[in-house]
């Protein structure tokens, strides 16, 4: 069995780790590999598919597959399989907890007060009264929602199809989204980028958040309308935005987000794919494929995730 691995960076480390996890295969690195049975990919150049006539499946080393699906050269009739969790849920939980605690305990307000030399204590709040909305209840969103609810916060979650998760107020559809937005003091975005979610958080929906809410976009920049977000940040309706992902990455040096006093930027690091867990998961799935078993994580191309 021949397996091709092609990543935009750290190619050697990925190749070594995959070879160790899949000793029964010949692992080839880079876009010029000979014809292979499987391809393992992260942001590959289009040329990678030029001489690959016999691929049985494609594996994305990212949870999100919007980038791969947007490549015209991506073979259409070959299953595309994505990474599921592999340690990314724990990282998303850390980020979400940081945002939730910073807002719940008013640490940003106290930092402002300190900068003005003001002693300004605020009253006690209870966790169960602090409303958090999670957009997307998939592998990562449901882990985040469960962790926040387990911590005692009041958590609502939004998905495309109806769901029932103990301890989470699960909603779906546009009526469900309206209810969730109206009460969320913290809104966490963990949706995939698809035709339906692109530009979803524009003026109309952002305006439905309560005054002083915070937004954390942890999935894809294109889901948020930047101009609309800057307007609600300027007006103060949104008190703080935590942005890990952007329309263009790296975020252009002259983008207003860099200097906006209410914006906190992280450089697409909310959840990084760990080499070893990801390569073991891919190796297990390749073995399953070879045995003719059904495997999880196959992308529904019509749905876009
Ligand atoms: P997933 O398991 O596929 O979950 C996607 C969730 O979004 C599902 O609950 C799905 O609803 C919901 N959804 C999709 N389209 C929707 C729509 N139109 N309306 C309402 N809900 C919709 O994905 P995941 O593994 O949790 O990952 C989520 C995203 O996180 C990835 O796509 C990627 O973009 C991003 N990500 C970012 C980083 C980072 O470092 N910033 C790292 C990893 C992943 P159903 O349950 O009804 O299908
Ligand atoms: C990272 O953004 C991923 O989709 O895994």
């Amino acid at each position: 069995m021949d397996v091709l691995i092609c990543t935009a960076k750290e190619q050697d480390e990925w190749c070594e780790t995959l070879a160790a996890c899949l000793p029964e295969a010949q692992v080839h690195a880079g876009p010029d590999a000979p014809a292979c049975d499987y391809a393992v990919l992260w942001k590959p150049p289009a040329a990678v598919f030029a001489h690959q006539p016999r691929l049985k499946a494609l594996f994305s080393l990212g949870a999100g597959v919007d980038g791969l699906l947007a490549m015209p050269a991506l073979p259409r009739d070959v299953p595309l399989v994505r990474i599921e969790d592999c340690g990314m849920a724990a990282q998303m939980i850390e980020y979400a907890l940081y945002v939730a605690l910073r807002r719940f305990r008013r640490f940003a307000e106290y930092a402002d007060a300190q900068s003005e030399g003001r002693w300004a204590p605020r009253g006690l709040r209870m966790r169960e009264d602090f409303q958090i909305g999670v957009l997307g209840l998939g592998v990562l969103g449901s882990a985040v929602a469960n962790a926040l609810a387990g911590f005692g916060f009041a958590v609502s979650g939004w998905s495309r199809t109806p769901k029932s998760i103990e301890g989470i107020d699960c909603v779906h559809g546009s009526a469900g989204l309206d209810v969730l937005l109206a009460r969320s003091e913290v809104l966490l975005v963990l949706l995939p980028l698809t035709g339906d979610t692109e530009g979803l958080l524009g003026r109309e929906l952002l305006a439905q958040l309560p005054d002083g809410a915070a937004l954390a976009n942890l999935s894809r920049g294109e889901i948020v309308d930047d101009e609309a977000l800057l307007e609600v940040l300027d007006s103060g309706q949104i008190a703080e935005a935590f942005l890990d992902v952007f329309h263009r990455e790296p975020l252009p040096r002259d983008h207003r987000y860099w200097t906006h006093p209410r914006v906190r930027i992280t450089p697409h690091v909310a959840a990084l794919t760990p080499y070893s867990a990801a390569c073991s998961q891919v190796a297990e799935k390749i073995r399953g494929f070879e045995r003719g078993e059904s495997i999880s994580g196959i992308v529904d191309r019509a749905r876009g995730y």
Side-chain angles (χ1 to χ4, degrees), residues 63-64 66 82 88 92 136-141 158-161 163 190-193 196-197 218-220 244-245 268-271 303 305:
D66 46 286
R82 72 189 191 91
M88 286 194 279
M92 285 296 186
L137 286 174
V139 173
L140 302 178
W158 186 62
S159 51
R160 193 177 56 84
T161 55
K163 288 212 182 315
L190 280 158
L191 292 165
L193 175 62
D196 290 337
T197 62
L218 308 183
S219 62
R220 288 294 182 266
D244 184 58
V245 285
H268 202 143
V269 291
R303 221 174 48 167
Y305 67 100

Tab-separated table of all heavy atoms in Angstrom, residues 63-64 66 82 88 92 136-141 158-161 163 190-193 196-197 218-220 244-245 268-271 303 305, ligand 1:
chain	number	residue	atom	x	y	z
A	63	ALA	N	-9.914	19.457	10.860
A	63	ALA	CA	-11.324	19.121	11.085
A	63	ALA	C	-12.189	19.792	10.025
A	63	ALA	O	-13.199	19.246	9.584
A	63	ALA	CB	-11.739	19.590	12.482
A	64	GLY	N	-11.786	20.986	9.624
A	64	GLY	CA	-12.544	21.726	8.607
A	64	GLY	C	-12.035	21.352	7.224
A	64	GLY	O	-10.828	21.244	7.004
A	66	ASP	N	-13.291	22.945	4.307
A	66	ASP	CA	-13.694	23.978	3.344
A	66	ASP	C	-12.581	24.259	2.332
A	66	ASP	O	-12.846	24.426	1.146
A	66	ASP	CB	-14.096	25.268	4.080
A	66	ASP	CG	-13.094	25.639	5.167
A	66	ASP	OD1	-13.095	24.973	6.222
A	66	ASP	OD2	-12.291	26.568	4.946
A	82	ARG	N	-12.327	13.368	7.299
A	82	ARG	CA	-11.671	14.423	8.070
A	82	ARG	C	-11.244	13.919	9.445
A	82	ARG	O	-11.725	12.878	9.913
A	82	ARG	CB	-12.611	15.626	8.219
A	82	ARG	CG	-13.742	15.331	9.165
A	82	ARG	CD	-14.807	16.386	9.174
A	82	ARG	NE	-15.706	16.132	10.286
A	82	ARG	CZ	-15.556	16.641	11.500
A	82	ARG	NH1	-14.565	17.462	11.756
A	82	ARG	NH2	-16.394	16.334	12.464
A	88	MET	N	-8.203	17.952	19.744
A	88	MET	CA	-8.579	19.344	19.454
A	88	MET	C	-9.734	19.815	20.328
A	88	MET	O	-9.838	20.995	20.660
A	88	MET	CB	-8.926	19.503	17.976
A	88	MET	CG	-7.692	19.469	17.109
A	88	MET	SD	-7.989	20.050	15.442
A	88	MET	CE	-8.695	18.591	14.739
A	92	MET	N	-10.081	23.362	22.356
A	92	MET	CA	-11.212	24.280	22.188
A	92	MET	C	-11.872	24.574	23.541
A	92	MET	O	-12.311	25.690	23.809
A	92	MET	CB	-12.252	23.692	21.233
A	92	MET	CG	-11.853	23.726	19.778
A	92	MET	SD	-11.686	25.429	19.177
A	92	MET	CE	-11.393	25.113	17.429
A	136	GLY	N	-22.967	25.389	16.513
A	136	GLY	CA	-22.320	24.163	16.049
A	136	GLY	C	-22.215	23.195	17.210
A	136	GLY	O	-21.579	23.499	18.231
A	137	LEU	N	-22.883	22.054	17.074
A	137	LEU	CA	-22.859	21.039	18.145
A	137	LEU	C	-22.288	19.735	17.606
A	137	LEU	O	-22.816	18.653	17.864
A	137	LEU	CB	-24.267	20.820	18.696
A	137	LEU	CG	-24.818	21.936	19.587
A	137	LEU	CD1	-26.276	21.661	19.955
A	137	LEU	CD2	-23.980	22.094	20.854
A	138	GLY	N	-21.205	19.867	16.824
A	138	GLY	CA	-20.558	18.670	16.291
A	138	GLY	C	-19.525	18.156	17.276
A	138	GLY	O	-19.660	18.328	18.494
A	139	VAL	N	-18.467	17.562	16.744
A	139	VAL	CA	-17.430	16.963	17.596
A	139	VAL	C	-16.876	18.017	18.561
A	139	VAL	O	-16.775	17.787	19.767
A	139	VAL	CB	-16.303	16.384	16.705
A	139	VAL	CG1	-15.138	15.923	17.544
A	139	VAL	CG2	-16.847	15.240	15.850
A	140	LEU	N	-16.515	19.177	18.048
A	140	LEU	CA	-15.879	20.198	18.897
A	140	LEU	C	-16.916	21.008	19.671
A	140	LEU	O	-16.769	21.240	20.873
A	140	LEU	CB	-14.997	21.109	18.035
A	140	LEU	CG	-13.899	20.371	17.251
A	140	LEU	CD1	-13.092	21.338	16.388
A	140	LEU	CD2	-12.960	19.628	18.205
A	141	GLY	N	-17.980	21.448	18.986
A	141	GLY	CA	-18.994	22.280	19.652
A	141	GLY	C	-19.670	21.558	20.804
A	141	GLY	O	-19.898	22.143	21.874
A	158	TRP	N	-26.654	25.433	19.068
A	158	TRP	CA	-27.407	25.481	17.810
A	158	TRP	C	-26.783	24.530	16.794
A	158	TRP	O	-25.553	24.505	16.627
A	158	TRP	CB	-27.364	26.903	17.249
A	158	TRP	CG	-28.207	27.159	16.046
A	158	TRP	CD1	-29.561	27.065	15.958
A	158	TRP	CD2	-27.750	27.595	14.748
A	158	TRP	NE1	-29.979	27.415	14.688
A	158	TRP	CE2	-28.890	27.756	13.930
A	158	TRP	CE3	-26.498	27.883	14.205
A	158	TRP	CZ2	-28.822	28.171	12.605
A	158	TRP	CZ3	-26.422	28.308	12.879
A	158	TRP	CH2	-27.575	28.441	12.090
A	159	SER	N	-27.621	23.741	16.150
A	159	SER	CA	-27.114	22.838	15.110
A	159	SER	C	-28.076	22.885	13.925
A	159	SER	O	-29.150	23.489	13.998
A	159	SER	CB	-26.986	21.413	15.651
A	159	SER	OG	-28.191	21.029	16.258
A	160	ARG	N	-27.693	22.213	12.846
A	160	ARG	CA	-28.542	22.212	11.644
A	160	ARG	C	-29.726	21.276	11.859
A	160	ARG	O	-30.865	21.626	11.564
A	160	ARG	CB	-27.694	21.759	10.440
A	160	ARG	CG	-28.317	21.996	9.083
A	160	ARG	CD	-27.342	21.575	7.994
A	160	ARG	NE	-26.922	20.192	8.171
A	160	ARG	CZ	-27.598	19.130	7.735
A	160	ARG	NH1	-28.719	19.284	7.059
A	160	ARG	NH2	-27.148	17.915	7.958
A	161	THR	N	-29.442	20.105	12.416
A	161	THR	CA	-30.512	19.134	12.660
A	161	THR	C	-30.842	19.135	14.162
A	161	THR	O	-29.993	19.496	14.978
A	161	THR	CB	-30.043	17.722	12.235
A	161	THR	OG1	-28.815	17.429	12.926
A	161	THR	CG2	-29.781	17.640	10.745
A	163	LYS	N	-31.219	18.209	18.009
A	163	LYS	CA	-30.348	17.386	18.869
A	163	LYS	C	-30.897	17.394	20.280
A	163	LYS	O	-31.621	18.312	20.665
A	163	LYS	CB	-28.951	17.997	18.950
A	163	LYS	CG	-28.162	17.859	17.713
A	163	LYS	CD	-26.672	17.726	18.029
A	163	LYS	CE	-25.852	17.642	16.765
A	163	LYS	NZ	-26.346	16.771	15.741
A	190	LEU	N	-18.507	27.612	16.420
A	190	LEU	CA	-17.812	26.353	16.109
A	190	LEU	C	-18.502	25.649	14.942
A	190	LEU	O	-18.663	24.428	14.930
A	190	LEU	CB	-17.752	25.479	17.357
A	190	LEU	CG	-16.621	25.921	18.317
A	190	LEU	CD1	-16.866	25.463	19.738
A	190	LEU	CD2	-15.273	25.414	17.828
A	191	LEU	N	-18.897	26.452	13.970
A	191	LEU	CA	-19.571	25.933	12.773
A	191	LEU	C	-18.555	25.680	11.669
A	191	LEU	O	-17.559	26.401	11.571
A	191	LEU	CB	-20.548	26.988	12.243
A	191	LEU	CG	-21.770	27.304	13.083
A	191	LEU	CD1	-22.409	28.597	12.596
A	191	LEU	CD2	-22.762	26.149	13.021
A	192	PRO	N	-18.829	24.735	10.789
A	192	PRO	CA	-17.967	24.611	9.604
A	192	PRO	C	-18.308	25.725	8.605
A	192	PRO	O	-19.424	26.252	8.633
A	192	PRO	CB	-18.357	23.247	9.031
A	192	PRO	CG	-19.758	23.016	9.499
A	192	PRO	CD	-19.924	23.750	10.803
A	193	LEU	N	-17.355	26.051	7.755
A	193	LEU	CA	-17.642	27.019	6.692
A	193	LEU	C	-18.285	26.288	5.522
A	193	LEU	O	-17.674	25.407	4.913
A	193	LEU	CB	-16.348	27.709	6.237
A	193	LEU	CG	-16.504	28.650	5.042
A	193	LEU	CD1	-17.445	29.801	5.363
A	193	LEU	CD2	-15.147	29.175	4.595
A	196	ASP	N	-24.050	27.642	3.544
A	196	ASP	CA	-25.076	28.152	4.460
A	196	ASP	C	-24.504	29.007	5.582
A	196	ASP	O	-25.216	29.834	6.152
A	196	ASP	CB	-25.832	26.986	5.120
A	196	ASP	CG	-26.714	26.256	4.135
A	196	ASP	OD1	-27.075	26.869	3.108
A	196	ASP	OD2	-27.011	25.070	4.375
A	197	THR	N	-23.259	28.768	5.958
A	197	THR	CA	-22.734	29.504	7.125
A	197	THR	C	-21.871	30.703	6.724
A	197	THR	O	-21.577	31.546	7.561
A	197	THR	CB	-21.897	28.578	8.047
A	197	THR	OG1	-20.772	28.095	7.305
A	197	THR	CG2	-22.720	27.409	8.563
A	218	LEU	N	-14.054	30.728	16.576
A	218	LEU	CA	-12.987	29.722	16.678
A	218	LEU	C	-12.980	28.791	15.473
A	218	LEU	O	-12.225	27.816	15.465
A	218	LEU	CB	-13.184	28.905	17.964
A	218	LEU	CG	-13.338	29.725	19.252
A	218	LEU	CD1	-13.461	28.807	20.465
A	218	LEU	CD2	-12.170	30.674	19.429
A	219	SER	N	-13.847	29.048	14.477
A	219	SER	CA	-13.892	28.065	13.389
A	219	SER	C	-13.387	28.599	12.053
A	219	SER	O	-12.303	28.217	11.609
A	219	SER	CB	-15.264	27.423	13.276
A	219	SER	OG	-16.252	28.349	12.984
A	220	ARG	N	-14.095	29.522	11.420
A	220	ARG	CA	-13.625	30.067	10.159
A	220	ARG	C	-14.023	31.548	10.051
A	220	ARG	O	-15.164	31.920	10.339
A	220	ARG	CB	-14.221	29.304	8.966
A	220	ARG	CG	-13.663	27.903	8.755
A	220	ARG	CD	-12.178	27.912	8.346
A	220	ARG	NE	-11.651	26.570	8.097
A	220	ARG	CZ	-11.014	25.817	8.991
A	220	ARG	NH1	-10.807	26.249	10.223
A	220	ARG	NH2	-10.549	24.631	8.645
A	244	ASP	N	-9.918	34.031	16.304
A	244	ASP	CA	-8.800	33.117	16.032
A	244	ASP	C	-8.623	32.909	14.537
A	244	ASP	O	-7.586	32.432	14.101
A	244	ASP	CB	-9.079	31.763	16.713
A	244	ASP	CG	-7.907	30.796	16.560
A	244	ASP	OD1	-6.794	31.149	17.000
A	244	ASP	OD2	-8.098	29.708	15.985
A	245	VAL	N	-9.669	33.237	13.783
A	245	VAL	CA	-9.697	32.907	12.352
A	245	VAL	C	-10.196	34.116	11.569
A	245	VAL	O	-10.984	34.912	12.076
A	245	VAL	CB	-10.611	31.683	12.124
A	245	VAL	CG1	-9.943	30.408	12.569
A	245	VAL	CG2	-11.942	31.858	12.833
A	268	HIS	N	-4.954	31.663	14.517
A	268	HIS	CA	-5.467	30.344	14.096
A	268	HIS	C	-4.765	29.213	14.864
A	268	HIS	O	-4.180	28.311	14.262
A	268	HIS	CB	-5.334	30.145	12.579
A	268	HIS	CG	-6.280	29.111	12.048
A	268	HIS	ND1	-6.920	29.206	10.837
A	268	HIS	CD2	-6.696	27.930	12.584
A	268	HIS	CE1	-7.674	28.129	10.651
A	268	HIS	NE2	-7.559	27.340	11.700
A	269	VAL	N	-4.883	29.319	16.167
A	269	VAL	CA	-4.243	28.316	17.028
A	269	VAL	C	-5.224	27.768	18.057
A	269	VAL	O	-4.806	27.115	19.019
A	269	VAL	CB	-3.025	28.912	17.780
A	269	VAL	CG1	-1.888	29.228	16.831
A	269	VAL	CG2	-3.437	30.183	18.563
A	270	ALA	N	-6.525	28.034	17.869
A	270	ALA	CA	-7.495	27.610	18.891
A	270	ALA	C	-7.348	26.113	19.161
A	270	ALA	O	-7.362	25.675	20.302
A	270	ALA	CB	-8.910	27.953	18.448
A	271	ALA	N	-7.180	25.340	18.098
A	271	ALA	CA	-6.953	23.890	18.267
A	271	ALA	C	-6.036	23.426	17.145
A	271	ALA	O	-6.420	23.452	15.976
A	271	ALA	CB	-8.268	23.131	18.243
A	303	ARG	N	-23.482	18.652	1.607
A	303	ARG	CA	-23.717	19.442	2.816
A	303	ARG	C	-22.563	20.424	3.046
A	303	ARG	O	-22.736	21.465	3.652
A	303	ARG	CB	-23.734	18.432	3.974
A	303	ARG	CG	-24.733	18.602	5.031
A	303	ARG	CD	-24.688	17.429	5.988
A	303	ARG	NE	-23.336	17.057	6.449
A	303	ARG	CZ	-23.081	16.245	7.453
A	303	ARG	NH1	-24.080	15.671	8.110
A	303	ARG	NH2	-21.847	15.957	7.810
A	305	TYR	N	-19.701	19.635	4.822
A	305	TYR	CA	-18.924	19.353	6.032
A	305	TYR	C	-19.075	17.897	6.425
A	305	TYR	O	-19.903	17.206	5.834
A	305	TYR	CB	-19.335	20.262	7.186
A	305	TYR	CG	-20.721	20.068	7.752
A	305	TYR	CD1	-20.929	19.344	8.921
A	305	TYR	CD2	-21.841	20.608	7.131
A	305	TYR	CE1	-22.202	19.158	9.456
A	305	TYR	CE2	-23.108	20.451	7.653
A	305	TYR	CZ	-23.285	19.717	8.813
A	305	TYR	OH	-24.546	19.545	9.324
B	1	LIG	P1	-18.543	18.895	12.942
B	1	LIG	O1	-18.386	17.749	13.872
B	1	LIG	O2	-18.764	18.627	11.502
B	1	LIG	O3	-19.730	19.805	13.517
B	1	LIG	C1	-20.337	20.810	12.794
B	1	LIG	C2	-21.540	21.303	13.562
B	1	LIG	O4	-22.050	22.470	12.908
B	1	LIG	C3	-22.685	20.277	13.575
B	1	LIG	O5	-23.335	20.297	14.828
B	1	LIG	C4	-23.614	20.803	12.496
B	1	LIG	O6	-24.990	20.485	12.689
B	1	LIG	C5	-23.431	22.286	12.662
B	1	LIG	N1	-23.835	22.989	11.440
B	1	LIG	C6	-23.332	22.860	10.191
B	1	LIG	N2	-23.993	23.656	9.337
B	1	LIG	C7	-24.937	24.287	10.062
B	1	LIG	C8	-25.959	25.212	9.746
B	1	LIG	N3	-26.135	25.660	8.494
B	1	LIG	N4	-26.779	25.636	10.728
B	1	LIG	C9	-26.612	25.186	11.995
B	1	LIG	N5	-25.660	24.306	12.376
B	1	LIG	C10	-24.836	23.864	11.405
B	1	LIG	O7	-17.251	19.845	13.020
B	1	LIG	P2	-16.203	19.988	14.216
B	1	LIG	O8	-15.225	18.880	14.186
B	1	LIG	O9	-16.954	20.243	15.466
B	1	LIG	O10	-15.439	21.309	13.747
B	1	LIG	C11	-16.112	22.531	13.564
B	1	LIG	C12	-15.229	23.514	12.825
B	1	LIG	O11	-14.191	23.998	13.692
B	1	LIG	C13	-14.452	22.933	11.648
B	1	LIG	O12	-15.259	22.858	10.496
B	1	LIG	C14	-13.315	23.934	11.475
B	1	LIG	O13	-13.713	24.942	10.565
B	1	LIG	C15	-13.177	24.553	12.863
B	1	LIG	N6	-11.866	24.290	13.488
B	1	LIG	C16	-11.079	25.362	13.808
B	1	LIG	C17	-9.883	25.149	14.444
B	1	LIG	C18	-9.017	26.307	14.876
B	1	LIG	O14	-7.891	26.103	15.297
B	1	LIG	N7	-9.515	27.519	14.828
B	1	LIG	C19	-9.459	23.850	14.754
B	1	LIG	C20	-10.289	22.787	14.414
B	1	LIG	C21	-11.501	23.020	13.780
B	1	LIG	P3	-25.517	18.960	12.647
B	1	LIG	O15	-24.999	18.346	13.936
B	1	LIG	O16	-26.988	19.100	12.640
B	1	LIG	O17	-24.932	18.322	11.430
